[in-house]
Amino acid sequence: MEEKRYLKWYNKVGYGSGDFAGNVVYAFLSSFVMLYLTNTVGLNPGIIGTLIMVSKLFDGISDMFFGTMIDKTKSRLGKARPWMLYAYIGCAVTLVANFAIPDSLGTTAQYVWFFIAYTLLNAVFFTANNIAYASLVTFCTKNSRERVEMGSWRFIFAFSTSLLIQSVTVQFVRAAGGGAAAWRTVAVVYAIIGLIVNTISVFSIKELPEEELKAGKDHTEEKYGLIEAAKLLFSNKYYLMICATYICQQIYSAMLNMGIYYMIYILKNENLYSVFSWAINIPVIVAMCITPMLVEKMKGLYRMNFAGYVLGTVGRVGVIFAGYMGSVPLMLTFTAIAALGMAPWQGDMGAVIASCSEYTYLTKHKHIDGTMYSCTSLGIKIGGGIGTAIVGWLLEISGYVGTNATQPASAITMLQVMYLWLPFVFEILITILLSKMNVEAANEKLRREKGIE
């Protein structure tokens, strides 16, 4: 029997556009905040990395907190949409604050300004917005295919936005006059655009009535607090695998984001950063369009995700060899192959998390959909924070000084390690994790045992 359909095409597209707004913040921050702080403000990359790492201590608590709050929310907009709508206002303001550190402040005060702005953006506003956005997948449809389609649209917008931000920002800053004032202007423009698109996304889709969501399910065991929610999450081995995958994936992305340094100091052409962004994002966008078909073709998410990352690992091996050969065309080719392998997981992760949430229900009889989607934000922020921190620490260890025209040989060698070798290492780790993440089969076995159709 075919599953009931809940969404029109424009609902899926409207939902997907929410990741345009999210990545206006995330892609800009993750790709360029370190470059802005080291080369424009003149701050120490090691100290910046440490501050980012400390900031992430707040994120684990805030992720579970907002996930729990979403599950408990009742409003005319539903559970998730109010958080998605109002939290983005804070995202816009604090994004600008991260790129508007006053020159008049002393160095210590500049570090404090950045730490406060970065922590508010990540641990509070982006967390609330991103968890709400991710959890909408379970609140607006019960159809598994529609969830995969929503994930595909979401990441088509996400990677399109990353491509756009990474392609135009360097030139945008240059056109705005360069220097601190230019970075501030660019941040304001991005914040306004993100605010508009996020609002459109919120009102392009509706959450199902609570009665519809509960239909056919036992909700007698609904009440739980933050501590119990944490216990439920961490008792789910698939949740832990998804979190670990996200963390590894974001560290991987952080290494690629510091490619701007690789282009400037090794390839001697900062404009190549946008070319490599195309090589990464275009294959992903193309693959997103066919992910729902691939899921059916390969009979499930597990096989497709694992096979994809095997391909991605092979691609990163090719990037290493091409890098040491000094062949930019070959580097671009293998970068595209690696990105193509990553794409299926990006497109269907919403459906995987929904299956993970179902696993908690089948084993613990608790519905924690909003809280479960905290692994999206938790992994993005912790992984991104660790990755950015590692970048800062390794730059500092290597002797890199952003305000210097030339860098020592130790810094050049470190840039090669960071851009060529570390992404390969994290591709392997993700592949291993995905080889164990067959939550579909686990749920099917549990349903058979319980006699659930």
Side-chain angles (χ1 to χ4, degrees):
M1 183 176 176
E2 187 175 350
E3 290 183 274
K4 178 181 177 181
R5 307 284 289 190
Y6 295 87
L7 304 174
K8 304 293 185 182
W9 68 267
Y10 51 82
N11 299 130
K12 300 168 195 172
V13 175
Y15 170 80
S17 69
D19 234 336
F20 180 101
N23 275 276
V24 164
V25 172
Y26 184 73
F28 183 42
L29 188 73
S30 60
S31 296
F32 297 105
V33 73
M34 182 68 77
L35 183 69
Y36 162 73
L37 294 170
T38 58
N39 289 28
T40 299
V41 184
L43 299 181
N44 182 292
I47 295 176
I48 295 167
T50 301
L51 290 177
I52 289 174
M53 193 70 215
V54 172
S55 175
K56 294 305 163 186
L57 296 176
F58 298 99
D59 282 356
I61 296 174
S62 68
D63 276 272
M64 288 186 290
F65 171 76
F66 285 115
T68 303
M69 292 301 294
I70 289 167
D71 282 329
K72 293 177 180 295
T73 296
K74 293 183 179 180
S75 75
R76 62 183 182 85
L77 289 177
K79 290 178 175 291
R81 291 197 301 158
W83 293 94
M84 181 180 168
L85 178 65
Y86 298 119
Y88 200 91
I89 298 171
C91 287
V93 172
T94 52
L95 178 66
V96 174
N98 273 276
F99 288 89
I101 298 177
D103 296 333
S104 58
L105 294 178
T107 302
T108 301
Q110 288 179 324
Y111 285 123
V112 172
W113 176 292
F114 166 69
F115 179 76
I116 293 173
Y118 186 88
T119 301
L120 285 174
L121 174 56
N122 282 274
V124 180
F125 300 116
F126 186 76
T127 296
N129 173 269
N130 189 255
I131 292 177
Y133 176 61
S135 65
L136 265 178
V137 171
T138 56
F139 292 132
C140 66
T141 179
K142 297 164 69 176
N143 185 297
S144 58
R145 180 178 173 84
E146 285 185 333
R147 287 172 175 173
V148 173
E149 291 169 346
M150 290 174 72
S152 294
W153 277 111
R154 172 184 180 180
F155 283 99
I156 287 171
F157 275 97
F159 283 95
S160 298
T161 309
S162 294
L163 174 60
L164 178 65
I165 297 296
Q166 292 167 357
S167 296
V168 306
T169 297
V170 172
Q171 292 81 357
F172 192 1
V173 171
R174 190 185 303 137
W183 283 105
R184 183 170 59 250
T185 298
V186 171
V188 169
V189 172
Y190 287 167
I192 292 172
I193 292 172
L195 192 58
I196 293 170
V197 175
N198 183 77
T199 303
I200 292 172
S201 180
V202 167
F203 290 102
S204 69
I205 196 166
K206 292 183 178 180
E207 297 180 31
L208 295 175
E210 198 162 354
E211 296 74 22
E212 173 74 11
L213 291 170
K214 290 181 178 180
K217 296 180 179 180
D218 177 15
H219 282 253
T220 57
E221 295 289 333
E222 277 291 318
K223 295 183 179 180
Y224 58 89
L226 183 60
I227 293 177
E228 186 177 358
K231 289 180 180 178
L232 288 169
L233 289 177
F234 289 103
S235 66
N236 186 327
K237 63 181 179 180
Y238 297 107
Y239 172 84
L240 297 177
M241 289 181 197
I242 292 174
C243 279
T245 300
Y246 264 111
I247 291 170
C248 290
Q249 195 172 59
Q250 291 304 309
I251 297 174
Y252 169 95
S253 296
M255 295 303 115
L256 295 189
N257 287 336
M258 59 71 54
I260 185 66
Y261 291 96
Y262 188 90
M263 309 307 157
I264 292 172
Y265 297 107
I266 294 180
L267 298 183
K268 307 296 184 183
N269 184 355
E270 66 181 18
N271 292 326
L272 281 175
Y273 185 64
S274 62
V275 179
F276 274 85
S277 296
W278 280 76
I280 293 170
N281 290 291
I282 291 299
V284 173
I285 293 168
V286 171
M288 291 295 178
C289 297
I290 61 173
T291 292
M293 181 187 71
L294 290 175
V295 172
E296 291 188 358
K297 190 84 172 176
M298 300 191 73
K299 295 181 171 58
L301 306 174
Y302 169 73
R303 290 193 186 111
M304 184 179 64
N305 291 332
F306 177 60
Y309 261 89
V310 170
L311 177 63
T313 303
V314 172
R316 291 313 304 182
V317 172
V319 173
I320 293 172
F321 280 102
Y324 283 105
M325 289 169 58
S327 173
V328 172
L330 273 179
M331 287 185 72
L332 289 168
T333 300
F334 285 114
T335 294
I337 291 172
L340 190 65
M342 289 173 53
W345 163 254
Q346 300 291 337
D348 65 37
M349 68 88 194
V352 176
I353 298 172
S355 295
C356 187
S357 182
E358 182 183 5
Y359 182 82
T360 293
Y361 173 72
L362 290 171
T363 55
K364 304 293 184 180
H365 304 291
K366 297 280 188 178
H367 291 277
I368 55 169
D369 298 319
T371 311
M372 184 63 69
Y373 275 85
S374 68
C375 62
T376 307
S377 181
L378 180 67
I380 286 174
K381 292 189 286 105
I382 290 182
I386 292 172
T388 305
I390 290 172
V391 168
W393 294 334
L394 294 180
L395 287 175
E396 172 67 13
I397 291 169
S398 72
Y400 176 86
V401 179
T403 52
N404 289 353
T406 59
Q407 301 298 332
S410 57
I412 300 302
T413 299
M414 184 62 78
L415 290 176
Q416 291 177 315
V417 170
M418 293 163 68
Y419 192 70
L420 299 179
W421 286 99
L422 290 183
F424 166 67
V425 170
F426 285 100
E427 280 273 5
I428 292 176
L429 291 176
I430 294 171
T431 303
I432 293 171
L433 285 166
L434 291 179
S435 73
K436 307 292 185 182
M437 203 186 299
N438 198 352
V439 63
E440 295 167 284
N443 285 347
E444 180 61 30
K445 180 180 178 182
L446 286 167
R447 283 194 294 268
R448 283 199 308 269
E449 291 174 353
K450 295 175 180 291
I452 301 173
E453 293 295 331

